[in-house]
Amino acid sequence: MATTLNLRTIKLRSGEQFRDKREIQLEPLELGGQRYLPVPQEVPAELTITRASTGTVFELAFSVRLHGPCYRCLEDAVLELPISAREYQATNPESDEMRTPYLEDDRLDLSAWARDSLVLALPNQILCRPDCAGLCPVCGKNLNDEPHEHAEVIADPRWAALEALRTDSAGED
Ligand SMILES: [Zn+2]
Ligand SMILES: [Zn+2]
């Protein structure tokens, strides 16, 4: 269900500009094994296409919210992301830098472009809040809800001795 635009339907001449609002279908993102859902899934975007004799400039602007698990505590995190992207396609491209990967046979793949722009705009870590305390490495409880520390029982040699005894007796059964 990708949103595409057939450039043949626009017929831009050199020096002309096309400006339109488009609804772009966005797929859920898989990041680090987690699923992130763009809301709305059909995002209203502002598309601008400017044609010059040497090439065409494509500009896309939209705003989206991304829902998914917090990187540290796995609770729901919501990110508000304003996106603005730009692509260029030369009339006679001599290298890959002069063409956009989202254009093929006059069809502009708006969904793929929007998704990649969204991924590029993401922070390194998606967090429920900037100071999220995460999960306790010992017991796995959420440290935002229950801030706590554990006494270091394992470091106590008496506990280690007791643990050894218990293991020995279990082996004799
Ligand atoms: Zn969190
Ligand atoms: Zn704990």
Side-chain angles (χ1 to χ4, degrees):
M1 285 243 291
T3 310
T4 59
L5 174 71
N6 191 338
L7 294 184
R8 279 180 210 145
T9 61
I10 294 172
K11 295 192 183 79
L12 269 190
R13 272 175 298 192
S14 183
E16 288 182 337
Q17 188 176 69
F18 169 86
R19 214 178 249 275
D20 198 15
K21 286 219 187 286
R22 293 279 154 153
E23 298 275 316
I24 300 178
Q25 186 76 31
L26 284 170
E27 295 289 317
L29 303 176
E30 293 278 346
L31 299 166
Q34 305 285 2
R35 199 174 151 92
Y36 292 87
L37 200 67
V39 178
Q41 268 193 279
E42 237 183 50
V43 72
E46 176 101 31
L47 174 70
T48 310
I49 303 173
T50 312
R51 177 98 194 250
S53 57
T54 49
T56 309
V57 175
F58 300 91
E59 286 160 295
L60 191 68
F62 62 93
S63 193
V64 68
R65 264 176 316 164
L66 202 63
H67 288 247
C70 169
Y71 183 85
R72 289 187 196 146
C73 74
L74 302 177
E75 294 290 319
D76 283 341
V78 181
L79 274 186
E80 194 80 41
L81 294 160
I83 312 283
S84 78
R86 202 182 144 98
E87 285 290 319
Y88 178 72
Q89 173 80 28
T91 310
N92 297 302
E94 284 156 15
S95 69
D96 279 348
E97 278 121 70
M98 295 171 83
R99 75 176 91 229
T100 164
Y102 307 113
L103 189 65
E104 211 181 304
D105 298 330
D106 281 332
R107 290 187 86 83
L108 185 63
D109 190 341
L110 291 169
S111 286
W113 183 18
R115 184 201 55 224
D116 289 353
S117 312
L118 176 55
V119 170
L120 286 174
L122 291 177
N124 286 338
Q125 296 185 351
I126 295 170
L127 299 175
C128 61
R129 60 185 208 216
D131 61 345
C132 171
L135 299 176
C136 172
V138 179
C139 70
K141 280 185 183 152
N142 190 331
L143 290 171
N144 298 311
D145 303 335
E146 288 179 56
H148 65 274
E149 281 174 27
H150 292 268
E152 291 190 43
V153 268
I154 289 138
D156 191 322
R158 284 168 300 175
W159 282 103
L162 203 67
E163 193 62 47
L165 273 176
R166 201 181 292 152
T167 320
D168 284 348
S169 57
E172 281 163 17
D173 287 348

